[in-house]
């Protein structure tokens, strides 16, 4: 009997979820009759579910529908502010904290510094204090918080509870559970470059499959196949930074030589030269010859890496990370260099720039909780 009840409850949940997701896909809202017609449900069923969603504040009236005559039908839409998720990007000295609504739109953002520590529990306490301040300062209601995604610059284990290696945080095989325990909400850890890929995937689900290559202090990414993240046997898929693009070449943080990351990290065009990334691109645009030579080498090795990704996955490649915002003027050149290494394509138009050059990592890691909310509601 109990099983039967559970089945009925689950069936009701699935119907409610269908109605909610149908409305989610129509930001301008829909009338009751449209919902019933499009989903093949009876009007009383739709009404009953809408009453529940309205009472829970998850759906709200949104203007009125056009009518051919008589009374106008009320239009209903998803209330994107009903819940929010936090996304945190952690680096050696900074937390980048972002709150996103149910449409993955940024509602608040702050970058703050924190003391260096190699103790995950201490890092958790520092983050908990910053999150409390963040929620209070932006007037965000903790009762609407779905959870906090935390993106870390390093390789995680398959269960995402251990940070196997993070040169940036000076952590090796660290247990992350004490960090999670210090936070007052559900927590999900994620590799930072992969997180950026998830945000991008959310913005272009139409693409189906894509490789996301993140260009920052490290070079990494994510692989999304048929709309689903592909993690790999060890959760290390998308570690594009360690594709060898120059055997015996420049030393890499991983201890090997000639990795893509050694040629295409932001350090190569900023820290190594003693300038900021902005200054580098300003100098490049102004015709600085030394910068031009270095940039040519950067693009050549990046193209070699992108061609390898294309040969392996045969899908679109989206370039993200904070360097992506500077790549626009050089995209044609990068495509030419990539096409020169691709025996099947003359244009390499499959190399694209990301839609979220800003805050992709915290957005992508916040997405985990939003996506789960939409699935489980
Ligand atoms: Zn490497």
């Amino acid at each position: 009997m109990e099983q039967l009840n559970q089945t009925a409850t689950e069936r009701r949940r699935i119907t409610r979820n269908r109605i909610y997701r149908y409305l989610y896909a129509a930001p301008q809202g829909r009338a009751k009759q449209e919902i019933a017609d499009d989903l093949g449900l009876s009007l009383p069923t739709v009404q009953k579910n809408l009453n529940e969603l309205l009472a829970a504040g998850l759906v709200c009236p949104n203007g009125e529908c056009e009518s051919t005559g008589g009374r106008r039908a009320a239009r209903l839409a998803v209330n994107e502010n009903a819940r929010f998720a936090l996304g945190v990007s952690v680096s050696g000295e900074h937390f980048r904290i972002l709150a996103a609504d149910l449409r993955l739109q940024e509602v608040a953002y702050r970058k703050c510094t924190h003391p260096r520590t190699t103790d995950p529990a201490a890092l958790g306490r520092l983050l908990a204090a910053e999150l409390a301040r963040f929620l209070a300062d932006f007037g965000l209601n903790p009762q609407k918080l779905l959870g906090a995604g935390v993106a870390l610059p390093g390789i995680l284990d398959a269960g995402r509870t251990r940070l196997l290696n993070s040169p940036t945080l000076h952590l090796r095989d660290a247990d992350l559970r004490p960090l999670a325990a210090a936070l007052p909400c559900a927590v999900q850890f994620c590799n930072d470059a992969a997180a950026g890929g998830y945000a991008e995937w959310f913005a272009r689900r139409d693409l189906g499959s894509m490789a996301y290559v993140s260009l920052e202090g490290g070079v990494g990414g994510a692989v999304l196949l048929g709309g689903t993240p592909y993690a790999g046997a060890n959760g290390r898929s998308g570690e594009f930074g360690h594709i060898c693009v120059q055997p015996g070449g420049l030393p890499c943080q991983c201890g090997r030589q000639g990795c893509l990351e050694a040629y295409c990290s932001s350090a190569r065009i900023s820290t190594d030269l003693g300038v900021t990334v902005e200054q580098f691109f300003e100098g490049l645009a102004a015709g600085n010859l030394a910068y031009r030579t270095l940039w040519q080498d950067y693009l050549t090795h990046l193209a070699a890496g992108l061609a390898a990704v294309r040969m392996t996955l045969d899908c679109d490649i989206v370039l993200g990370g904070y360097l992506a915002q500077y790549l626009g003027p050089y995209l044609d050149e990068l495509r030419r260099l990539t096409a020169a290494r691709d025996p099947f394509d003359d244009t390499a138009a499959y190399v694209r720039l990301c839609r979220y050059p800003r805050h992709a990592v915290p957005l992508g890691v916040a997405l985990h909780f939003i996506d789960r909310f939409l699935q489980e509601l």
Side-chain angles (χ1 to χ4, degrees), residues 18-353:
R18 273 183 74 207
I19 293 171
Y20 182 81
R21 289 169 67 134
Y22 170 82
L23 288 174
Y24 188 87
Q28 70 281 21
R30 289 276 190 262
K32 255 179 298 185
Q33 190 65 56
E34 280 180 286
I35 303 172
D37 292 347
D38 288 353
L39 296 180
L41 297 167
S42 73
L43 210 47
T45 302
V46 170
Q47 185 62 61
K48 182 174 174 298
N49 281 283
L50 285 176
N51 287 345
E52 286 175 21
L53 291 167
L54 282 160
L58 295 170
V59 160
C60 53
N62 181 35
E64 292 181 322
C65 295
E66 293 304 316
S67 173
T68 45
R71 202 163 61 89
R72 287 169 160 231
R75 201 188 282 176
L76 295 139
V78 157
N79 173 14
E80 57 238 24
N81 297 310
R83 300 282 188 281
F84 70 97
L86 292 172
V88 182
S89 168
V90 178
S91 65
E93 292 174 331
H94 295 105
F95 296 128
R96 290 176 178 82
I97 305 171
L98 179 145
D101 69 15
L102 289 174
R103 293 202 182 279
L104 200 65
Q105 300 172 115
E106 179 178 323
V107 291
Y109 174 82
R110 171 182 286 167
K111 178 182 176 183
C112 43
T113 53
H114 64 79
R116 280 192 173 272
T117 173
T118 53
D119 173 11
L123 195 62
R125 286 191 294 275
L126 291 167
L127 179 55
E130 288 297 346
L131 290 184
R133 250 193 299 276
F134 180 83
L135 295 178
D137 290 354
F138 287 102
L140 296 164
N141 180 354
Q143 295 197 319
K144 292 183 174 180
L145 173 59
L146 294 171
V150 178
L152 299 163
I155 296 171
L156 287 98
D157 73 336
R160 299 193 188 181
T161 56
R162 297 191 84 80
L163 185 58
L164 300 178
N165 188 20
S166 171
T168 314
L169 298 178
H170 302 288
L171 283 173
R172 206 169 244 281
D173 200 23
D175 186 354
L176 295 169
R177 283 169 297 187
L179 198 169
L183 303 181
C185 58
V187 177
Q188 174 73 41
F189 296 105
C190 182
N191 167 268
D192 58 355
Y198 299 156
E200 206 59 36
W201 165 67
F202 188 78
R204 36 173 115 212
R205 288 179 183 221
D206 52 310
L207 223 49
S209 298
M210 78 173 207
Y212 176 80
V213 178
S214 167
L215 302 167
E216 299 207 349
V219 175
V223 176
L224 299 134
L225 298 178
T228 310
Y230 172 72
N234 304 289
R236 288 176 215 148
S237 97
E239 282 292 338
F240 302 122
H242 305 289
I243 291 176
C244 184
V245 289
Q246 183 79 60
L250 294 176
C252 178
Q253 287 223 52
C254 72
R256 311 292 192 275
Q257 282 179 287
C259 294
L260 181 63
E261 181 167 302
Y263 287 86
C264 298
S265 79
S266 59
R268 186 136 194 260
I269 54 168
S270 58
T271 329
D272 294 0
L273 297 171
V275 298
T276 65
V277 168
E278 286 77 14
Q279 287 168 334
F280 175 83
F281 282 102
E282 278 166 23
L284 184 64
N288 182 316
L289 270 181
Y291 288 8
R292 182 65 234 180
T293 308
L294 177 60
W295 187 239
Q296 189 65 38
D297 191 62
Y298 182 106
L299 288 180
T300 304
H301 286 96
L302 179 55
L306 298 182
V309 173
R310 174 71 179 185
M311 290 308 104
T312 312
L313 296 171
D314 190 23
C315 63
D316 278 29
I317 303 171
V318 177
L319 296 173
Y322 65 76
L323 287 189
Q325 63 192 294
Y326 302 99
L327 289 178
Y330 311 100
L331 183 61
D332 285 345
E333 189 179 356
L334 178 61
R335 283 174 169 164
R336 270 198 304 279
L337 289 165
T338 307
R341 287 160 181 77
D342 181 340
F344 309 114
D345 195 294
D346 296 334
T347 60
Y350 50 78
V351 176
R352 300 158 181 254
L353 294 180

Side-chain angles (χ1 to χ4, degrees), residues 4-19:
L4 271 178
N5 282 340
Q6 272 182 356
T7 316
T9 309
E10 178 60 8
R11 229 183 297 126
R12 275 199 295 276
R13 187 195 72 80
I14 290 169
T15 304
R16 194 173 58 234
N17 187 278
R18 273 183 74 207
I19 293 171

